[in-house]
């Protein structure tokens, strides 16, 4: 396997990929994103300013011989591009974790990685406590629940907008209560967080999800709770957005950067 820290490629070149590129350059890291797979139909003409190699297909990406590929593009790319990359023996970090709720996709990726003798990892994203869930499930988890709270305006464009008059809510209001499987389907913007918890813990059907609209809050709050043979735990995160992009949580971008750093470390701490 090629292990050149300067031959990292991204799939997609939006907010997440550009934030990664800038952060690695700012920190004078030995790691560098050298290429982006962005088919011509997704380009907007601004990509050339970033001095990276633009690639148009999975074949071109594989021929560029990346040491690591970081998917920052969306569900469709995980379906159509990531399997070929894994099968070519290239390790992949998947950022669009929500896609892994799609029936059959995880099994297909597993098969591609097995054939290519490569590894796929997922970034932990905007939540924490996933290490606890992974360890605790070995002895058995009884209950895993996630509560996501956002200001009412953040739920515009979701099914909550039809069921509630978001602008006139006066108190913290439950807008969804169900499984992670249904939450991932009905609230795709929240899908990365719910999928990360479901995959680390007891799966999409058993993980309970509550989403609330809180007019008294100005930030996104994530609470993960679990109990099982190990005991119980609860973690609450109040994330700040990326300074230059309010739609992405800073912690999510940092978690992807951390996944890249770990990939190139000889010792994982
Ligand atoms: N795990 C997390 O916590 C977390 C956090 C933020 C974003 N994400 C996910 O990361 C992905 C990227 O987020 P973003 O904020 O950068 O989005 P964005 O819309 O800013 O950028 C997406 C980029 O991918 C490109 N693209 C779309 N479809 C593509 C395809 N099939 N092939 C190649 N390129 C394609 C777009 O043209 C764009 O350049 C999304 O799926 C988002 O859900 C995950």
């Amino acid at each position: 396997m090629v292990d050149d820290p300067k031959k990292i490629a991204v799939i997609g070149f939006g907010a997440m990929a550009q934030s990664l590129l800038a952060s690695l350059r700012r920190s004078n890291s030995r790691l560098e994103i050298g290429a982006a797979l962005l088919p011509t139909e997704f380009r907007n003409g601004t990509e050339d300013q970033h001095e990276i190699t633009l690639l148009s297909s999975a074949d071109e990406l594989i021929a560029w011989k990346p040491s690591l590929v970081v998917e920052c593009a969306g569900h469709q790319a995980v379906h159509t591009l990531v399997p070929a990359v894994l099968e070519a023996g290239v390790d992949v970090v998947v950022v669009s974790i929500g896609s892994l709720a799609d029936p059959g996709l995880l099994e297909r990726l597993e098969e591609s990685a097995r054939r290519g003798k490569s590894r796929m990892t997922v970034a932990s994203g905007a939540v924490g406590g996933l290490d606890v869930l992974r360890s605790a499930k070995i002895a058995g988890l009884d209950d895993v629940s996630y509560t996501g709270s956002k200001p009412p305006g953040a739920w515009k464009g979701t099914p909550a907008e039809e069921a509630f008059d978001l602008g006139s809510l006066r108190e913290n209001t439950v807008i969804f209560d169900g499984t992670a499987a249904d939450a991932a389907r009905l609230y795709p913007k929240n899908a990365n967080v719910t999928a990360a918890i479901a995959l680390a813990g007891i799966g999409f059907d058993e993980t309970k999800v509550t989403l609330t609209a809180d007019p008294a809050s100005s930030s996104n709050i994530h609470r993960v709770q679990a109990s099982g043979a190990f005991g119980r735990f609860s973690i609450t995160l109040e994330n700040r957005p990326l300074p230059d992009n309010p739609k992405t949580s800073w912690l999510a971008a940092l978690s992807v950067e951390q996944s890249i750093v770990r990939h190139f470390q000889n010792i994982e701490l």
Side-chain angles (χ1 to χ4, degrees):
M1 188 188 70
V2 189
D3 214 14
D4 181 346
K6 301 214 177 291
K7 289 214 80 177
I8 302 167
V10 286
I11 301 180
F13 201 58
M16 180 61 85
Q18 290 183 35
S19 139
L20 273 178
L21 179 87
S23 184
L24 290 174
R25 282 185 181 167
R26 253 195 322 269
S27 63
N28 271 328
S29 160
R30 70 188 180 102
L31 306 170
E32 194 175 301
I33 292 169
L37 166 50
L38 194 66
T40 43
E41 65 266 32
F42 294 110
R43 295 185 193 170
N44 61 19
T46 62
E47 296 83 12
D48 293 339
Q49 301 160 10
H50 296 271
E51 295 172 4
I52 52 162
T53 302
L54 285 177
L55 307 164
S56 300
S57 66
D59 285 346
E60 277 187 27
L61 175 67
I62 293 160
W64 189 76
K65 295 197 185 315
S67 51
L68 179 69
V69 167
V70 186
E71 174 284 318
C72 302
H75 287 210
Q76 195 207 349
V78 182
H79 278 272
T80 59
L81 302 169
V82 173
V85 178
L86 287 169
E87 232 166 281
V90 180
D91 291 352
V92 179
V93 175
V94 166
V95 175
S96 307
I97 317 173
S99 64
L100 303 178
D102 297 352
L105 180 58
L106 199 52
E107 291 73 14
R108 190 161 157 236
L109 294 165
E110 169 90 50
E111 175 61 16
S112 300
R114 199 188 55 72
R115 279 202 214 150
K117 297 191 173 50
S118 52
R119 289 192 80 222
M120 184 187 101
T121 47
V122 292
S124 54
V127 280
L130 305 182
D131 49 346
V132 177
L133 292 179
R134 288 189 196 105
S135 305
K137 83 171 164 191
I138 297 172
L141 280 164
D142 298 328
D143 193 69
V144 179
S145 62
Y146 163 73
T147 304
S149 179
K150 294 184 182 182
W155 297 112
K156 278 189 189 147
T158 73
E161 195 175 19
E162 279 139 49
F164 298 91
D165 181 3
L166 293 170
S168 61
L169 294 181
R170 294 286 162 262
E171 56 188 26
N172 194 9
T173 305
V174 173
I175 53 145
F176 173 86
D177 201 12
T179 65
D182 288 338
R185 192 170 45 80
L186 295 168
Y187 290 85
K189 282 189 196 152
N190 240 62
N192 292 311
V193 168
T194 46
I197 297 163
L199 291 165
I202 51 178
F204 287 92
D205 293 328
E206 301 299 322
T207 304
K208 296 172 191 147
V209 173
T210 305
L211 303 175
T212 79
D214 187 356
S217 166
S218 58
S219 57
N220 295 353
I221 298 170
H222 308 280
R223 183 169 298 120
V224 187
Q225 290 174 294
S227 64
F230 77 103
R232 58 180 62 247
F233 99 110
S234 170
I235 181 171
T236 303
L237 293 104
E238 197 169 331
N239 291 339
R240 293 202 177 124
L242 269 173
D244 48 1
N245 188 326
K247 89 179 169 97
T248 300
S249 117
W250 200 341
L251 187 65
L254 293 171
S255 86
V256 183
E257 193 168 334
Q258 171 62 6
S259 301
I260 300 173
V261 169
R262 281 168 84 94
H263 179 85
F264 289 95
Q265 277 172 340
N266 294 105
I267 295 176
E268 266 189 36
L269 298 172

